[in-house]
Amino acid sequence: MYESTRDASCVVNSAAAIKMGISPEGGLFVPTEIPKLTLAEIGKLAELNYRGRAVEILNHYLTDYTEEAVKDCVEQAYTKEKFGTDNIAPLYALNDSCYILELWHGPTCAFKDMALQILPHFMTKAMEMTGEDKEIVILVATSGDTGKAALEGFSDVKGTKIAVFYPKDGVSDMQRLQMVTTLGENVSVMAVKGNFDDAQNGVKQLFTDEAFIARMAEGGCKLSSANSINWGRLVPQIVYYFSAYADLLKNNQITLGDEINVVVPTGNFGNILAAYFAKEMGLPIHKLICASNENNVLTDFIRTGKYDRNRDFKLTASPSMDILISSNLERLLFLLSGKDHAKVNEWMKSLKETGAYEVDADTKAKISDLFWAGFADDEKTFSAIHDTYETYRYVMDTHTAVAKYVYDAYVKETGDTTKAVIASTASPFKFSPNVLKSLDESISLEGLSEMETLKVLSEYSETKIPVGLSSATELPVRFDKVIERTEMEAAVSDWLEL
Ligand SMILES: *Cc1c(COP(=O)(O)O)cnc(C)c1O
């Protein structure tokens, strides 16, 4: 079962948690008990492929789904056709102590696919199981990667519709092209005049607008979320940490029971929280290393126990981590405080009212024990891309490079040489101008189209351009609507013909 972080009386099964997305009072759903795997069970995962591993892990959480249903979701989501490889999440050895977990082989070239390829299947199964007669309408605000991954996942999924709002000038050209060329009869994409917060606040407002929700219901529609506040987006992410460990075992790079460190480039705290769940389930993880860009609220928080978002919002070369409110931290705080709903409510209230809160000494001590944190500015990020290529001939994107920089800083500061897995969250092609600039300053990109830039990177790195990105530069633009922040409700109503 799953309980809300803010209300002890709100307890639901996984199908309901996934369908609802968020608890009615604004809390997030957390499993009432974290399942445990024995070392022997973890060892057995090495014999399975990614799909087999996913079924094993997911079955521990989606206990109200039949095993057949879970298997069905996994087999539809993680195909060679969609991921271009049967490995789904391959592990690349930079050397014999540092491994890159490539989570970007999915259709949109960012790690969001690992969850958003399977979430729509969880959702439609949940609708069948609960006898849902309404159409599920997914509203998404995106600063870049979530929008396209959600569109790709929900495109033409029966019983669902999806609308994505992106800040008109707040996404990269490639990210915009990927979204506005999306195929599918049930999708809509709109640019909102303003920044990401405007789009996000607009969507949040719709979720709590009673008149709008009533009109939706009359029209046979019900709202849900595809952001990482939805448990259905977190649970598939636990799988790949087990899978990375299983690959290390299979390749004799570790022995069963050996500890590893995990390094995660972090924004909304979803990905690293999944690694925390893996550790709690029994995966031998020593330290969880949280890497931030210059929006380093989390670095400060992990080091001091004080969360303070009162600072300038910086636009960086790792835009998917440009965030000052990391929603999923609430789940960690809930668990580490001993499931203290009152404390979580107090901290979240303080965050909302003052933009800051400080956790108690006990919770802070637990955080320091589990996590290590650091950050990289753009210059350090670019040099991490450059140096990694010079040393290993391996090209990484800007987000992964933030993690690589922080990992090196961790080793230097602590002397801990435990083998480490770095979560690589995007294909370098997705951020090719900054990647190229970092690889070789002398490359000139002036006047090049998006597609030409991809070609330069392809030639330079001797790797293929991902299909998802080249097609975005070739497909016709289907969505060019630009709306005011105040027109979001009207735009959704129009689109749904309410
Ligand atoms: C979303 C995203 C992140 C941040 O992940 P969180 O789960 O929000 O912490 C990092 N890198 C890339 C490329 C992303 O798209």
Side-chain angles (χ1 to χ4, degrees), residues 21 54 80 92 116 118 157 195 224 243 277 287-289 305 313 339 413 437 486:
K80 183 171 178 187
Y92 181 91
L116 282 162
I118 200 165
V157 170
N195 61 24
S224 188
S243 179
F277 271 96
K287 275 281 175 193
L288 298 157
I289 299 169
F313 184 101
K339 301 193 177 179
E413 193 172 312
K437 200 173 81 185
T486 49

Side-chain angles (χ1 to χ4, degrees), residues 465-490:
I465 301 172
V467 190
L469 299 182
S470 53
S471 69
T473 67
E474 286 156 4
L475 288 170
V477 170
R478 289 182 67 205
F479 304 99
D480 56 6
K481 198 165 172 173
V482 180
I483 60 170
E484 299 286 342
R485 153 80 178 77
T486 49
E487 292 170 341
M488 288 170 69
E489 183 189 336

Side-chain angles (χ1 to χ4, degrees), residues 110-112 145 265-271 320-321 397 399 425-426 431:
F111 92 100
K112 305 288 197 289
D145 293 333
T266 298
N268 221 0
F269 210 75
N271 203 0
S320 306
M321 291 154 66
D397 93 294
H399 303 75
T425 50
F431 301 93

Side-chain angles (χ1 to χ4, degrees), residues 176-205:
R176 184 184 53 80
L177 277 177
Q178 282 187 292
M179 290 189 273
V180 297
T181 56
T182 299
L183 304 173
E185 291 308 310
N186 63 336
V187 308
S188 178
V189 179
M190 284 169 262
V192 179
K193 287 186 196 163
N195 61 24
F196 170 65
D197 282 336
D198 294 320
Q200 164 118 317
N201 289 338
V203 167
K204 276 191 184 157
Q205 218 163 305

